[in-house]
Amino acid sequence: MDPPLVNDSSFSAANPSSYTLSEIWPFPVNDAVRSGLRLAVNSGRVFTRSEHSGNKDVSAAEESTVTDLTAGWGSRKTRDLNSEDDSSKMVSSSSSGNELKESGDKKRKLCGSESGNGDGSMRPEGETSSGGGGSKATEQKNKPEPPKDYIHVRARRGQATDRHSLAERARREKISEKMTALQDIIPGCNKIIGKALVLDEIINYIQSLQRQVEFLSMKLEVVNSGASTGPTIGVFPSGDLGTLPIDVHRTIYEQQEANETRVSQPEWLHMQVDGNFNRTT
Amino acid sequence: MVESLFPSIENTGESSRRKKPRISETAEAEIEARRVNEESLKRWKTNRVQQIYACKLVEALRRVRQRSSTTSNNETDKLVSGAAREIRDTADRVLAASARGTTRWSRAILASRVRAKLKKHRKAKKSTGNCKSRKGLTETNRIKLPAVERKLKILGRLVPGCRKVSVPNLLDEATDYIAALEMQVRAMEALAELLTAAAPRTTLTGT
């Protein structure tokens, strides 16, 4: 930001080479710095808001925009103020009382010119080039769109826009998607509404399937006890399946898939059964 | 001098500004997970997987029968329930093996076999009478969970190896396990029908 214009009257004619800081900078540093910072911060906020809204009137009560650009303003402001308070202490210790009075008068003049938008007015960088209302609109059009890396969420009144709440919302959506996938698998579960009832149906269905497996295993045991042993098929290993590691299983299955001929299931099973399960009378 | 008094806001902000992870990476991971899940569901519905499972089950049944045939006829009545349980265990193990250890439930079933063998070698722990009373007290004082959480806990117990799993992963495992169970039921029903049909046919022919 450029410093405001300083009149010739502020320089002493007797000694033009040696100037003190208070003569070059005609008003107290502390207030000026703070006012400048406020202007800069406010202008920054306005511009980020206008970039993302895209020439739409967004009322603060209706919608709130969350961008990454406005994330760290508060911390920056405090840091800058702390650093500049030290510098202002140094400046005030070097300046004398008379100089402060003069600078106070000049400050009043400058404030008056600021209110009238004169030549010596302090403007933030964003507002210097803007001539009127039309030029602002053209500026906003010329500015590029925000990059896609920024998360830009618009939430209505009452909807949270925190990171935690967004993550929770995403988690809930993921769970609901998987619940719908489960509903599609389970027969007669599409009509049921509510997580608890859907989970009840899922539990009942799994239990019924497990009971079916148990019943079929008993049935197979009864049939299997009467059947005699036949010649073994050479595809499978003679060892127990459970004791083998997973990689060995994988190799066995790949070999089996390569060796298997594509036959319809009933014929294939008949071949297996007829070859091995012959009852002796 | 003046520039030092007015530090530019852009320069101060760059150090504190953090880069957020891109949304595209997480979205890609989710899409990949969905694709894998859909493929596994389709795989369980194919005829080929059912054939492989039935073939392995026939082999396992033959081995079970060979073991049971060595025992005498007097002991067979006692071993009926044990044999049925053994057949069920072998059917589950074959199912887990046909899943190729890609899911938690299949790995849990395959690992339970090893645990069962290890338990035989260990000595049985002595149980004291005080433990029962303590358990009773804790059960009465236990806080009731909400309905959904309670049912999710039950679902976690039903799906093997999913007791301490997050809700989305549990639902994924449940979908895969249900599809596998359906395939197992279909294969076992077909096998049982064929075996029952084969038994009277062999007696009629006299072979």
Side-chain angles (χ1 to χ4, degrees), chain A:
Chain A
M1 190 182 286
D2 297 326
L5 296 171
V6 182
N7 300 328
D8 294 332
S9 61
S10 62
F11 299 106
S12 61
N15 193 6
S17 60
S18 62
Y19 301 120
T20 58
L21 183 66
S22 59
E23 287 174 351
I24 294 167
W25 193 254
F27 39 85
V29 180
N30 199 1
D31 296 333
V33 168
R34 280 185 185 168
S35 63
L37 250 179
R38 276 188 211 119
L39 280 167
V41 169
N42 289 334
S43 67
R45 276 185 187 160
V46 166
F47 268 79
T48 52
R49 191 73 176 268
S50 63
E51 275 173 18
H52 289 286
S53 61
N55 293 330
K56 287 178 184 176
D57 297 329
V58 181
S59 61
E62 286 291 319
E63 293 180 351
S64 65
T65 56
V66 177
T67 58
D68 289 351
L69 297 173
T70 58
W73 283 112
S75 58
R76 280 181 214 159
K77 191 194 282 189
T78 52
R79 217 180 295 138
D80 293 338
L81 285 174
N82 292 334
S83 61
E84 282 151 14
D85 282 339
D86 301 333
S87 61
S88 64
K89 282 174 189 174
M90 289 168 65
V91 171
S92 60
S93 62
S94 65
S95 60
S96 62
N98 296 327
E99 288 167 353
L100 280 172
K101 281 178 187 176
E102 287 173 11
S103 64
D105 296 333
K106 283 169 188 173
K107 183 187 166 187
R108 279 177 213 142
K109 285 178 187 175
L110 270 171
C111 288
S113 66
E114 268 182 21
S115 62
N117 285 333
D119 292 331
S121 64
M122 287 177 65
R123 285 185 185 179
E125 288 174 4
E127 293 176 9
T128 50
S129 61
S130 61
S135 60
K136 272 188 184 178
T138 53
E139 264 189 7
Q140 285 172 3
K141 283 178 187 175
N142 292 335
K143 282 192 178 179
E145 290 181 359
K148 290 180 181 178
D149 290 353
Y150 294 119
I151 298 167
H152 175 60
V153 180
R154 279 192 177 183
R156 289 181 185 176
R157 191 192 301 169
Q159 283 187 346
T161 54
D162 272 345
R163 282 184 189 178
H164 299 290
S165 53
L166 288 172
E168 184 63 28
R169 197 184 299 164
R171 181 178 160 277
R172 280 199 302 270
E173 282 171 7
K174 200 188 284 184
I175 288 166
S176 63
E177 276 177 15
K178 281 163 187 178
M179 289 285 277
T180 50
L182 266 169
Q183 275 181 308
D184 292 338
I185 289 170
I186 294 160
C189 200
N190 293 321
K191 296 172 185 177
I192 297 164
I193 300 163
K195 271 187 185 177
L197 294 172
V198 170
L199 282 168
D200 265 335
E201 282 293 317
I202 291 161
I203 288 161
N204 291 336
Y205 189 61
I206 290 172
Q207 281 176 342
S208 69
L209 283 170
Q210 284 174 347
R211 280 193 217 105
Q212 257 181 302
V213 169
E214 203 168 338
F215 170 72
L216 284 164
S217 63
M218 286 175 76
K219 194 176 177 181
L220 280 170
E221 196 274 326
V222 169
V223 175
N224 196 23
S225 61
S228 67
T229 59
T232 56
I233 307 163
V235 178
F236 301 101
S238 58
D240 199 0
L241 278 168
T243 55
L244 292 171
I246 294 160
D247 293 331
V248 178
H249 282 303
R250 198 169 292 166
T251 53
I252 292 161
Y253 303 147
E254 282 164 5
Q255 283 175 4
Q256 184 186 346
E257 283 172 13
N259 293 334
E260 266 184 359
T261 54
R262 296 198 175 187
V263 189
S264 62
Q265 188 199 343
E267 294 170 10
W268 178 83
L269 270 173
H270 273 299
M271 287 196 303
Q272 293 286 333
V273 170
D274 290 340
N276 301 313
F277 290 90
N278 294 325
R279 181 171 286 187
T280 54
T281 51

